């Protein structure tokens, strides 16, 4: 059983930065970040492979967001820079057996989410 706990969300001005963390107990899975804005479907953000640290991003965040992992701390990070109001959403950490995949159905475990609000 994998338990995921996100943290690091908050309120930030447009153009600012924020780093999200996901504590991932018992996970050697591919790790991903998704987000969901009110009234919208859950959207893939980024994923990282455990074996070699390969990463894959949604076009909407490529060049602004960076996913990384610290296996000693069993933590996955999402460094978000040049934030835009449209990045406002609840951000979820997920673990799955497939890489790379942007399909939420292929992730087996989910955290409860952390809110990110970007003001204009």
């Amino acid at each position: 059983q994998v338990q995921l706990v996100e943290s690091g969300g908050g309120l930030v001005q447009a153009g600012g930065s924020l780093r999200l963390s996901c504590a991932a107990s018992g996970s050697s899975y591919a790790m991903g970040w998704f987000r969901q804005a009110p009234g919208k479907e859950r959207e893939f953000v980024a994923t990282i492979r455990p074996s070699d640290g390969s990463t894959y991003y949604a076009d909407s965040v490529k060049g602004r967001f960076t996913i990384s992992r610290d296996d000693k701390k069993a933590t996955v990070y999402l460094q978000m820079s040049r934030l835009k109001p449209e990045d406002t959403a609840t951000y979820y950490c997920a673990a799955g057996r497939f890489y790379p995949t942007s399909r939420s159905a292929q992730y087996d475990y989910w955290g409860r989410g952390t809110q990110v609000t970007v003001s204009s």
Side-chain angles (χ1 to χ4, degrees):
Q1 185 75 14
V2 177
Q3 294 185 333
L4 306 174
V5 180
E6 303 96 336
S7 62
L11 174 64
V12 63
Q13 288 188 333
S17 299
L18 209 57
R19 189 177 77 161
L20 305 183
S21 300
C22 173
S25 65
S27 174
S28 61
Y29 291 75
M31 300 297 296
W33 285 97
F34 286 75
R35 66 187 183 186
Q36 188 167 19
K40 294 188 177 181
E41 293 187 355
R42 191 165 294 189
E43 173 189 24
F44 168 76
V45 174
T47 182
I48 186 167
R49 182 160 61 187
S51 59
D52 61 0
S54 295
T55 58
Y56 175 67
Y57 297 92
D59 287 343
S60 58
V61 305
K62 200 175 294 182
R64 298 189 299 123
F65 291 10
T66 302
I67 187 172
S68 62
R69 60 191 297 157
D70 184 332
D71 291 333
K72 291 183 180 179
K73 296 182 178 180
T75 300
V76 177
Y77 302 98
L78 184 69
Q79 178 67 48
M80 305 184 294
S81 302
R82 291 184 283 145
L83 283 161
K84 305 175 182 179
E86 50 263 44
D87 295 318
T88 295
T90 300
Y91 283 70
Y92 297 91
C93 178
R97 293 164 290 167
F98 301 98
Y99 175 89
T101 180
S102 60
R103 296 178 57 191
S104 59
Q106 292 187 313
Y107 288 83
D108 301 307
Y109 302 98
W110 293 83
R112 293 188 175 185
T114 185
Q115 178 67 37
V116 172
T117 302
V118 184
S119 63
S120 58

